[in-house]
Amino acid sequence: MSRLRALPDPDHLPALDPAYLSATPAQGLGPGDPAPRILLLYGSLRERSFSRLCVEEAARLLQVMGCETRIFDPSDLPLTDQVAGDDHPAVHALREHAMWSEGMVWCSPERHGQISAIMKLQIDHLPLNMGGMRPTQGRTLAVMQVSGGSQSFNAVNTLRLLGRWMRMITIPNQSSVAKAFMEFNDAGRMKPSAYYDRIVDVMEELVRFTVLTRPHAAQLVDRYSERKAQGTPIDPSKDLSAIAVRP
């Protein structure tokens, strides 16, 4: 089981300026560039989850921008250490999708001034090192949050901290949707607003950063200190001094 959510109406973007679609924006993609692979995580299991609805809007935009997207469904994810050795199909699926990705989108509701337990649970199931592979290190990251009240940035600030801890390249822009219950129609689609426009901005920036960092993917998961600790020959070509631009 892939544990991925199907994206409803992927080609229907009623809040997006039609001129944007006719312009077919590349957002940094050049001729022949493969589609950036983006994994999207949301932080609520409610039937009408606004963090999930935001992620779905983001996924539609990313597809318009030339990306391949996957939305992980955390509904049966166990607690950390609940299953011996993390040997659970949902944990395996999450890690496989993380390894597949080049970038991620994390969107959490703000609860008691912080990210939700479901959001943190997914991040906690992503180890820094997994059999020599890095599920998060070097990947790009966009952070978003939804709030039931006035606009706040507590959740995105925490997601930034976690992104740094997970050794990810967290892009400068971010999205915070206040009073999210007012920003979606009965069909679960986001209404035209400055909040929606900001999500477009964030997804554009995520794609650009993902494409910009692609040529350095191998270096971003390679560290001098780790090679030294493992007794691996220290190759100066992998150090910053060897690739720095010289006058």
Coordinates of all heavy atoms in Angstrom, one line a residue, residues 53-148:
L53 N -6.2 20.5 2.9 CA -6.8 21.3 1.8 C -5.7 22.3 1.2 O -5.6 22.4 0.0 CB -8.0 22.0 2.2 CG -9.2 21.1 2.5 CD1 -10.4 22.0 3.0 CD2 -9.6 20.3 1.4
C54 N -4.9 22.9 2.1 CA -3.8 23.7 1.7 C -2.8 22.9 0.9 O -2.3 23.4 -0.2 CB -3.2 24.4 2.9 SG -4.0 26.0 3.3
V55 N -2.5 21.8 1.4 CA -1.5 20.9 0.7 C -2.0 20.5 -0.7 O -1.2 20.5 -1.7 CB -1.2 19.7 1.6 CG1 -0.8 18.5 0.7 CG2 -0.1 20.0 2.6
E56 N -3.3 20.2 -0.8 CA -3.9 19.9 -2.1 C -3.8 21.0 -3.1 O -3.5 20.8 -4.3 CB -5.3 19.4 -1.9 CG -5.4 18.0 -1.2 CD -6.8 17.6 -1.0 OE1 -7.8 18.4 -1.2 OE2 -7.0 16.4 -0.5
E57 N -4.1 22.2 -2.6 CA -3.9 23.4 -3.5 C -2.5 23.6 -3.9 O -2.2 23.9 -5.1 CB -4.4 24.7 -2.8 CG -5.9 24.7 -2.4 CD -6.8 24.8 -3.7 OE1 -6.3 24.9 -4.8 OE2 -8.0 24.7 -3.5
A58 N -1.5 23.4 -3.0 CA -0.1 23.5 -3.3 C 0.3 22.4 -4.3 O 1.0 22.7 -5.3 CB 0.7 23.3 -2.0
A59 N -0.2 21.2 -4.2 CA 0.1 20.1 -5.1 C -0.4 20.4 -6.5 O 0.3 20.2 -7.5 CB -0.5 18.8 -4.6
R60 N -1.6 21.0 -6.6 CA -2.1 21.4 -8.0 C -1.2 22.4 -8.6 O -0.9 22.3 -9.8 CB -3.5 21.9 -7.8 CG -4.6 20.9 -7.3 CD -6.0 21.5 -7.3 NE -6.9 20.5 -6.7 CZ -7.3 20.5 -5.4 NH1 -6.8 21.5 -4.6 NH2 -8.1 19.6 -5.0
L61 N -0.8 23.4 -7.8 CA 0.1 24.4 -8.4 C 1.4 23.8 -8.8 O 2.0 24.2 -9.8 CB 0.3 25.5 -7.3 CG -0.9 26.4 -7.0 CD1 -0.7 27.2 -5.7 CD2 -1.2 27.3 -8.2
L62 N 2.0 22.9 -8.0 CA 3.3 22.3 -8.3 C 3.2 21.5 -9.6 O 4.1 21.5 -10.4 CB 3.7 21.4 -7.1 CG 4.2 22.1 -5.9 CD1 4.3 21.2 -4.7 CD2 5.5 22.8 -6.1
Q63 N 2.0 20.9 -9.8 CA 1.9 20.1 -11.1 C 1.8 21.1 -12.3 O 2.4 20.8 -13.3 CB 0.6 19.2 -11.0 CG 0.8 18.1 -10.0 CD -0.4 17.1 -10.0 OE1 -1.2 17.2 -10.9 NE2 -0.4 16.2 -9.1
V64 N 1.1 22.2 -12.1 CA 1.1 23.2 -13.2 C 2.5 23.7 -13.5 O 2.9 24.0 -14.6 CB 0.2 24.4 -12.7 CG1 0.5 25.6 -13.6 CG2 -1.2 24.0 -12.8
M65 N 3.4 23.8 -12.4 CA 4.7 24.2 -12.6 C 5.7 23.1 -13.1 O 6.9 23.4 -13.1 CB 5.2 24.8 -11.2 CG 4.5 26.0 -10.8 SD 4.9 26.5 -9.1 CE 3.6 27.7 -8.7
G66 N 5.2 22.0 -13.4 CA 6.0 20.9 -14.0 C 6.5 19.9 -13.0 O 7.4 19.1 -13.4
C67 N 6.0 19.8 -11.8 CA 6.4 18.9 -10.8 C 5.6 17.6 -10.7 O 4.5 17.6 -11.2 CB 6.4 19.5 -9.4 SG 7.5 21.0 -9.2
E68 N 6.2 16.6 -10.2 CA 5.5 15.4 -9.8 C 5.3 15.4 -8.3 O 6.2 15.7 -7.6 CB 6.4 14.1 -10.2 CG 5.7 12.8 -9.9 CD 6.5 11.6 -10.4 OE1 7.6 11.8 -11.0 OE2 6.1 10.5 -10.0
T69 N 4.1 15.1 -7.9 CA 3.8 15.3 -6.4 C 3.2 14.0 -5.8 O 2.6 13.2 -6.5 CB 2.7 16.5 -6.2 OG1 1.5 16.1 -6.8 CG2 3.3 17.8 -6.8
R70 N 3.5 13.9 -4.5 CA 2.8 12.8 -3.7 C 2.4 13.4 -2.4 O 3.2 14.2 -1.8 CB 3.8 11.7 -3.5 CG 4.3 10.9 -4.7 CD 5.3 9.8 -4.4 NE 5.7 9.1 -5.6 CZ 6.5 8.0 -5.5 NH1 7.0 7.6 -4.4 NH2 6.9 7.4 -6.7
I71 N 1.2 13.1 -2.0 CA 0.6 13.6 -0.7 C 0.5 12.4 0.2 O -0.2 11.4 -0.1 CB -0.7 14.2 -0.9 CG1 -0.6 15.4 -1.8 CG2 -1.3 14.7 0.5 CD1 -2.0 16.1 -2.2
F72 N 1.3 12.4 1.3 CA 1.3 11.2 2.2 C 0.1 11.3 3.1 O -0.3 12.3 3.7 CB 2.6 11.2 3.0 CG 2.6 10.0 4.0 CD1 2.9 8.7 3.5 CD2 2.5 10.2 5.3 CE1 2.9 7.6 4.4 CE2 2.5 9.1 6.2 CZ 2.8 7.8 5.7
D73 N -0.6 10.1 3.3 CA -1.7 10.0 4.2 C -1.2 9.4 5.5 O -0.9 8.2 5.6 CB -2.8 9.1 3.6 CG -4.0 8.9 4.4 OD1 -4.0 9.4 5.6 OD2 -5.0 8.4 3.9
P74 N -1.2 10.2 6.6 CA -0.7 9.7 7.9 C -1.7 9.0 8.8 O -1.4 8.8 10.0 CB -0.2 11.0 8.6 CG -1.2 12.0 8.1 CD -1.6 11.6 6.7
S75 N -2.9 8.7 8.3 CA -4.0 8.2 9.1 C -3.7 7.0 9.9 O -4.3 6.8 11.0 CB -5.2 8.0 8.3 OG -5.0 7.1 7.3
D76 N -2.8 6.1 9.5 CA -2.5 4.9 10.3 C -1.0 4.8 10.7 O -0.5 3.8 11.0 CB -2.9 3.6 9.5 CG -2.0 3.4 8.3 OD1 -1.4 4.4 7.8 OD2 -2.0 2.3 7.8
L77 N -0.4 6.0 10.8 CA 1.0 6.0 11.2 C 1.1 5.8 12.7 O 0.4 6.4 13.5 CB 1.6 7.4 10.9 CG 3.1 7.5 10.9 CD1 3.7 6.7 9.8 CD2 3.5 9.0 10.6
P78 N 1.9 4.8 13.2 CA 1.9 4.5 14.6 C 2.8 5.6 15.4 O 3.5 6.3 14.7 CB 2.6 3.1 14.7 CG 3.5 3.1 13.5 CD 2.7 3.9 12.4
L79 N 2.6 5.6 16.7 CA 3.5 6.4 17.5 C 5.0 6.0 17.3 O 5.2 4.8 17.1 CB 3.1 6.4 18.9 CG 1.7 6.9 19.3 CD1 1.4 6.7 20.7 CD2 1.6 8.4 18.9
T80 N 5.9 6.9 17.5 CA 7.3 6.5 17.5 C 7.5 5.5 18.7 O 7.0 5.6 19.8 CB 8.2 7.7 17.7 OG1 7.8 8.4 18.8 CG2 8.1 8.6 16.5
D81 N 8.3 4.4 18.4 CA 8.6 3.4 19.3 C 7.5 2.5 19.7 O 7.6 1.6 20.6 CB 9.3 3.9 20.6 CG 10.5 4.7 20.3 OD1 11.3 4.3 19.4 OD2 10.8 5.8 20.9
Q82 N 6.3 2.7 19.1 CA 5.2 1.8 19.4 C 5.3 0.5 18.8 O 4.9 -0.5 19.3 CB 3.9 2.5 18.9 CG 2.6 1.7 19.2 CD 1.4 2.4 18.7 OE1 1.4 3.4 18.0 NE2 0.2 1.9 19.0
V83 N 6.0 0.4 17.6 CA 6.2 -0.8 16.9 C 7.7 -1.1 16.9 O 8.5 -0.2 16.6 CB 5.7 -0.8 15.5 CG1 6.1 -2.1 14.7 CG2 4.2 -0.5 15.4
A84 N 8.1 -2.3 17.4 CA 9.6 -2.6 17.5 C 10.3 -2.4 16.1 O 9.8 -2.9 15.1 CB 9.7 -4.0 18.0
G85 N 11.4 -1.7 16.2 CA 12.2 -1.4 15.0 C 11.5 -0.6 13.9 O 11.9 -0.6 12.8
D86 N 10.4 0.1 14.3 CA 9.7 0.9 13.3 C 9.2 0.0 12.1 O 9.0 0.5 11.0 CB 10.5 2.1 12.8 CG 10.8 3.1 13.8 OD1 9.9 3.3 14.7 OD2 11.9 3.7 13.8
D87 N 9.0 -1.3 12.4 CA 8.6 -2.2 11.3 C 7.1 -2.1 11.1 O 6.3 -3.0 11.5 CB 9.0 -3.6 11.7 CG 8.9 -4.6 10.5 OD1 8.6 -4.1 9.4 OD2 9.0 -5.8 10.7
H88 N 6.6 -1.1 10.5 CA 5.2 -0.9 10.2 C 5.1 -0.4 8.7 O 5.9 0.5 8.3 CB 4.6 0.2 11.2 CG 3.2 0.3 11.1 ND1 2.5 1.1 10.1 CD2 2.2 -0.2 11.9 CE1 1.2 1.0 10.3 NE2 1.0 0.3 11.3
P89 N 4.1 -0.9 8.0 CA 3.9 -0.5 6.6 C 3.9 1.0 6.4 O 4.4 1.5 5.4 CB 2.7 -1.2 6.2 CG 2.5 -2.4 7.1 CD 3.1 -1.9 8.4
A90 N 3.2 1.7 7.3 CA 3.1 3.2 7.1 C 4.4 3.9 7.3 O 4.7 4.8 6.5 CB 2.0 3.8 8.1
V91 N 5.2 3.4 8.2 CA 6.5 4.0 8.4 C 7.4 3.7 7.2 O 8.1 4.6 6.7 CB 7.2 3.4 9.7 CG1 8.6 4.0 9.9 CG2 6.3 3.8 10.9
H92 N 7.4 2.5 6.7 CA 8.2 2.1 5.5 C 7.7 3.0 4.3 O 8.6 3.5 3.6 CB 8.0 0.7 5.2 CG 8.5 -0.3 6.2 ND1 9.7 -0.1 6.9 CD2 8.0 -1.4 6.7 CE1 9.9 -1.1 7.7 NE2 8.9 -1.9 7.7
A93 N 6.4 3.2 4.2 CA 5.9 4.0 3.0 C 6.4 5.4 3.1 O 6.9 6.0 2.1 CB 4.4 3.9 3.0
L94 N 6.3 6.0 4.3 CA 6.7 7.4 4.5 C 8.2 7.6 4.1 O 8.6 8.5 3.4 CB 6.4 7.8 5.9 CG 7.0 9.2 6.3 CD1 6.3 10.3 5.5 CD2 6.7 9.5 7.8
R95 N 9.0 6.7 4.6 CA 10.4 6.8 4.4 C 10.8 6.6 2.9 O 11.7 7.2 2.3 CB 11.2 5.8 5.3 CG 11.1 6.2 6.7 CD 11.7 5.1 7.6 NE 11.7 5.5 9.0 CZ 12.1 4.8 10.0 NH1 12.7 3.6 9.8 NH2 12.0 5.2 11.3
E96 N 10.0 5.7 2.3 CA 10.3 5.4 0.8 C 9.9 6.7 0.0 O 10.6 7.1 -0.9 CB 9.5 4.2 0.3 CG 10.0 2.9 0.8 CD 9.0 1.7 0.6 OE1 8.0 2.0 -0.1 OE2 9.3 0.6 1.1
H97 N 8.8 7.3 0.4 CA 8.4 8.5 -0.3 C 9.4 9.7 -0.1 O 9.7 10.5 -1.0 CB 7.0 8.9 0.1 CG 5.9 7.9 -0.3 ND1 5.9 7.4 -1.6 CD2 4.9 7.4 0.4 CE1 4.9 6.5 -1.7 NE2 4.3 6.5 -0.5
A98 N 9.9 9.7 1.1 CA 10.9 10.7 1.5 C 12.2 10.5 0.6 O 12.8 11.5 0.1 CB 11.3 10.7 2.9
M99 N 12.6 9.3 0.5 CA 13.8 9.0 -0.3 C 13.5 9.3 -1.8 O 14.4 9.7 -2.5 CB 14.2 7.5 -0.2 CG 14.8 7.1 1.2 SD 16.3 8.1 1.6 CE 17.3 7.7 0.1
W100 N 12.3 9.1 -2.3 CA 11.9 9.4 -3.7 C 12.0 10.9 -3.9 O 12.4 11.4 -5.0 CB 10.5 8.9 -3.9 CG 9.8 9.5 -5.1 CD1 9.9 9.0 -6.4 CD2 8.9 10.6 -5.2 NE1 9.1 9.8 -7.2 CE2 8.5 10.8 -6.5 CE3 8.5 11.5 -4.2 CZ2 7.7 11.8 -6.9 CZ3 7.6 12.5 -4.6 CH2 7.2 12.7 -5.9
S101 N 11.7 11.7 -2.9 CA 11.6 13.2 -3.1 C 12.9 13.9 -3.3 O 13.9 13.5 -2.9 CB 10.8 13.8 -1.9 OG 11.7 13.8 -0.8
E102 N 12.8 15.1 -4.0 CA 13.8 16.1 -4.1 C 13.5 17.3 -3.1 O 14.4 18.0 -2.8 CB 14.0 16.6 -5.5 CG 14.5 15.6 -6.5 CD 14.6 16.2 -7.9 OE1 15.6 16.8 -8.2 OE2 13.6 16.1 -8.6
G103 N 12.3 17.5 -2.9 CA 11.8 18.6 -2.0 C 10.6 18.2 -1.3 O 9.9 17.2 -1.6
M104 N 10.2 19.0 -0.3 CA 9.0 18.7 0.5 C 8.2 19.9 0.8 O 8.8 21.0 0.8 CB 9.3 18.0 1.8 CG 10.0 16.6 1.7 SD 10.1 15.8 3.3 CE 11.3 14.5 2.9
V105 N 6.9 19.7 1.1 CA 6.1 20.8 1.7 C 5.5 20.3 3.0 O 4.9 19.2 3.0 CB 4.9 21.2 0.7 CG1 4.0 22.2 1.3 CG2 5.5 21.7 -0.6
W106 N 5.7 21.0 4.0 CA 5.1 20.7 5.3 C 4.0 21.7 5.7 O 4.4 22.9 5.7 CB 6.2 20.6 6.4 CG 7.2 19.6 6.3 CD1 7.2 18.5 5.4 CD2 8.4 19.5 7.1 NE1 8.4 17.8 5.6 CE2 9.1 18.3 6.6 CE3 9.0 20.2 8.1 CZ2 10.3 17.9 7.1 CZ3 10.2 19.8 8.6 CH2 10.9 18.7 8.2
C107 N 2.8 21.3 6.0 CA 1.8 22.2 6.4 C 1.1 21.7 7.6 O 0.6 20.6 7.7 CB 0.7 22.4 5.3 SG -0.6 23.6 5.6
S108 N 1.1 22.5 8.7 CA 0.5 22.1 10.0 C -0.5 23.1 10.4 O -0.4 24.3 10.2 CB 1.6 22.0 11.1 OG 1.1 21.6 12.3
P109 N -1.6 22.6 11.1 CA -2.4 23.5 11.8 C -1.7 24.0 13.1 O -0.7 23.3 13.6 CB -3.6 22.7 12.2 CG -3.1 21.3 12.3 CD -2.0 21.2 11.2
E110 N -2.0 25.2 13.5 CA -1.4 25.7 14.8 C -2.4 25.3 15.9 O -3.5 25.6 15.9 CB -1.2 27.2 14.8 CG -0.6 27.6 16.1 CD -0.2 29.1 16.1 OE1 0.3 29.6 15.1 OE2 -0.5 29.8 17.1
R111 N -1.8 24.5 16.9 CA -2.6 24.1 18.0 C -1.9 24.4 19.3 O -0.7 24.0 19.5 CB -2.9 22.6 18.0 CG -3.8 22.2 16.9 CD -4.2 20.7 16.9 NE -5.1 20.4 15.8 CZ -5.5 19.2 15.4 NH1 -4.9 18.2 16.0 NH2 -6.3 19.0 14.4
H112 N -2.5 25.2 20.2 CA -1.9 25.7 21.4 C -0.5 26.3 21.1 O 0.5 26.1 21.8 CB -1.7 24.5 22.4 CG -3.0 23.8 22.8 ND1 -4.0 24.5 23.3 CD2 -3.3 22.5 22.7 CE1 -5.0 23.7 23.5 NE2 -4.6 22.5 23.1
G113 N -0.5 27.1 20.0 CA 0.7 27.8 19.7 C 1.8 27.0 19.1 O 3.0 27.5 19.0
Q114 N 1.5 25.8 18.6 CA 2.6 24.9 18.1 C 2.1 24.1 17.0 O 0.9 24.1 16.6 CB 3.1 24.0 19.2 CG 4.4 24.6 19.9 CD 5.5 24.8 18.9 OE1 5.5 24.2 17.8 NE2 6.5 25.6 19.3
I115 N 2.9 23.3 16.4 CA 2.5 22.4 15.3 C 1.7 21.2 16.0 O 1.8 21.0 17.2 CB 3.7 21.8 14.5 CG1 4.6 20.9 15.4 CG2 4.5 22.9 13.9 CD1 5.7 20.2 14.7
S116 N 1.0 20.5 15.2 CA 0.2 19.4 15.7 C 1.0 18.2 15.9 O 2.1 18.0 15.4 CB -0.9 19.1 14.7 OG -0.4 18.5 13.5
A117 N 0.4 17.3 16.7 CA 1.1 16.0 17.0 C 1.3 15.2 15.8 O 2.3 14.5 15.6 CB 0.3 15.2 18.1
I118 N 0.3 15.2 14.9 CA 0.4 14.4 13.7 C 1.5 14.9 12.8 O 2.3 14.1 12.2 CB -1.0 14.5 12.9 CG1 -2.1 13.8 13.7 CG2 -0.8 13.9 11.5 CD1 -1.8 12.3 13.9
M119 N 1.7 16.2 12.7 CA 2.8 16.8 11.9 C 4.2 16.3 12.5 O 5.0 15.9 11.8 CB 2.7 18.3 11.9 CG 3.6 19.0 11.0 SD 3.1 18.9 9.3 CE 4.4 17.9 8.5
K120 N 4.3 16.5 13.8 CA 5.6 16.1 14.5 C 5.8 14.6 14.3 O 7.0 14.2 14.2 CB 5.5 16.5 15.9 CG 6.8 16.3 16.7 CD 8.0 17.1 16.2 CE 9.2 17.2 17.1 NZ 9.7 15.9 17.6
L121 N 4.8 13.8 14.4 CA 4.9 12.4 14.3 C 5.6 12.0 13.0 O 6.5 11.1 12.9 CB 3.6 11.7 14.5 CG 3.5 10.2 14.4 CD1 4.4 9.5 15.5 CD2 2.1 9.7 14.5
Q122 N 5.1 12.6 11.9 CA 5.7 12.2 10.6 C 7.1 12.6 10.5 O 7.9 11.8 10.0 CB 4.9 13.0 9.5 CG 3.4 12.5 9.4 CD 2.6 13.3 8.4 OE1 2.6 13.1 7.2 NE2 1.9 14.3 9.0
I123 N 7.5 13.8 11.0 CA 8.9 14.2 11.0 C 9.7 13.3 11.9 O 10.9 12.9 11.5 CB 9.0 15.7 11.4 CG1 8.2 16.6 10.4 CG2 10.5 16.1 11.5 CD1 8.0 18.0 10.9
D124 N 9.2 12.9 13.0 CA 9.9 12.0 13.9 C 10.2 10.6 13.3 O 11.1 9.9 13.7 CB 9.2 11.8 15.2 CG 9.3 13.0 16.2 OD1 10.1 13.9 15.9 OD2 8.5 13.1 17.1
H125 N 9.4 10.2 12.4 CA 9.6 8.9 11.7 C 10.6 9.0 10.6 O 10.9 8.0 9.9 CB 8.3 8.4 11.2 CG 7.5 7.6 12.2 ND1 8.0 6.5 12.8 CD2 6.2 7.8 12.7 CE1 7.1 6.0 13.7 NE2 6.0 6.8 13.6
L126 N 11.2 10.2 10.3 CA 12.2 10.4 9.3 C 13.5 10.5 9.9 O 13.9 11.5 10.4 CB 11.8 11.6 8.4 CG 10.6 11.5 7.6 CD1 10.3 12.9 6.9 CD2 10.6 10.4 6.5
P127 N 14.3 9.4 9.9 CA 15.6 9.5 10.5 C 16.6 10.3 9.7 O 16.5 10.4 8.5 CB 16.1 8.0 10.6 CG 15.4 7.4 9.4 CD 14.1 8.1 9.3
L128 N 17.6 10.9 10.3 CA 18.7 11.6 9.6 C 19.5 10.6 8.7 O 19.9 11.0 7.6 CB 19.6 12.3 10.6 CG 19.1 13.6 11.2 CD1 20.0 14.1 12.3 CD2 18.8 14.6 10.2
N129 N 19.7 9.4 9.3 CA 20.5 8.4 8.5 C 19.8 7.1 8.6 O 19.3 6.7 9.6 CB 21.9 8.3 9.2 CG 22.8 7.5 8.3 OD1 22.4 6.6 7.6 ND2 24.1 7.8 8.5
M130 N 19.6 6.5 7.4 CA 18.8 5.3 7.3 C 19.6 4.3 6.4 O 19.5 4.3 5.2 CB 17.5 5.6 6.7 CG 16.5 4.4 6.7 SD 14.9 4.9 6.1 CE 15.2 5.2 4.4
G131 N 20.5 3.5 7.1 CA 21.3 2.6 6.3 C 22.2 3.2 5.3 O 22.4 2.7 4.2
G132 N 22.8 4.4 5.7 CA 23.7 5.1 4.9 C 22.9 6.1 3.9 O 23.6 6.8 3.2
M133 N 21.6 6.0 3.9 CA 20.8 6.9 3.0 C 20.3 8.1 3.9 O 20.1 7.9 5.1 CB 19.7 6.2 2.3 CG 20.2 5.1 1.4 SD 18.9 4.2 0.5 CE 18.1 3.4 1.9
R134 N 20.0 9.2 3.2 CA 19.5 10.4 3.9 C 18.1 10.8 3.4 O 18.0 11.3 2.3 CB 20.5 11.6 3.6 CG 22.0 11.2 3.9 CD 22.3 11.2 5.3 NE 23.7 10.9 5.6 CZ 24.3 11.1 6.7 NH1 23.6 11.5 7.8 NH2 25.6 10.8 6.9
P135 N 17.1 10.5 4.2 CA 15.7 10.8 3.7 C 15.4 12.3 3.6 O 14.4 12.6 2.9 CB 14.8 10.1 4.8 CG 15.7 9.1 5.5 CD 17.1 9.7 5.4
T136 N 16.1 13.1 4.3 CA 15.8 14.6 4.3 C 17.0 15.5 3.9 O 16.8 16.5 3.4 CB 15.3 15.0 5.7 OG1 16.3 14.7 6.7 CG2 14.0 14.3 6.1
Q137 N 18.2 15.1 4.3 CA 19.4 16.0 4.1 C 19.5 16.4 2.7 O 19.5 15.6 1.7 CB 20.6 15.2 4.6 CG 21.9 16.1 4.6 CD 23.0 15.5 5.2 OE1 22.9 14.7 6.2 NE2 24.2 15.7 4.7
G138 N 19.7 17.7 2.5 CA 19.9 18.2 1.1 C 18.7 18.5 0.3 O 18.8 19.1 -0.7
R139 N 17.5 18.1 0.8 CA 16.3 18.4 0.1 C 15.8 19.8 0.4 O 16.0 20.3 1.5 CB 15.2 17.3 0.5 CG 15.5 16.0 -0.1 CD 14.7 14.8 0.6 NE 14.9 13.6 -0.1 CZ 16.0 12.8 0.0 NH1 17.0 13.2 0.7 NH2 16.1 11.7 -0.7
T140 N 15.0 20.3 -0.5 CA 14.4 21.6 -0.3 C 13.1 21.4 0.5 O 12.5 20.4 0.6 CB 14.1 22.3 -1.6 OG1 13.3 21.4 -2.4 CG2 15.4 22.7 -2.3
L141 N 12.7 22.5 1.2 CA 11.5 22.4 2.0 C 10.8 23.8 2.0 O 11.4 24.8 2.2 CB 11.9 22.1 3.5 CG 10.8 22.2 4.6 CD1 9.8 21.1 4.3 CD2 11.4 22.1 6.0
A142 N 9.5 23.7 1.9 CA 8.6 24.9 2.0 C 7.7 24.6 3.2 O 7.2 23.5 3.4 CB 7.7 25.1 0.8
V143 N 7.5 25.6 4.1 CA 6.7 25.4 5.3 C 5.4 26.3 5.2 O 5.5 27.4 4.7 CB 7.5 25.7 6.6 CG1 8.6 24.7 6.7 CG2 8.0 27.2 6.6
M144 N 4.3 25.7 5.7 CA 3.0 26.4 5.7 C 2.3 26.1 7.0 O 2.5 25.1 7.6 CB 2.2 26.0 4.5 CG 2.9 26.2 3.1 SD 1.7 26.1 1.7 CE 1.0 24.5 1.9
Q145 N 1.3 27.0 7.3 CA 0.5 26.7 8.5 C -0.9 27.2 8.2 O -1.1 28.1 7.4 CB 1.1 27.2 9.8 CG 0.9 28.7 10.0 CD 1.2 29.2 11.4 OE1 2.4 29.2 11.8 NE2 0.2 29.5 12.1
V146 N -1.9 26.7 9.0 CA -3.2 27.2 9.0 C -3.6 27.5 10.4 O -3.2 26.8 11.4 CB -4.2 26.2 8.3 CG1 -4.0 26.1 6.9 CG2 -4.2 24.9 9.0
S147 N -4.4 28.5 10.6 CA -4.8 28.9 12.0 C -6.3 29.1 12.0 O -7.0 29.5 11.0 CB -4.2 30.2 12.4 OG -2.8 30.1 12.3
G148 N -6.9 28.8 13.2 CA -8.3 29.0 13.3 C -8.7 30.4 13.7 O -9.8 30.9 13.5

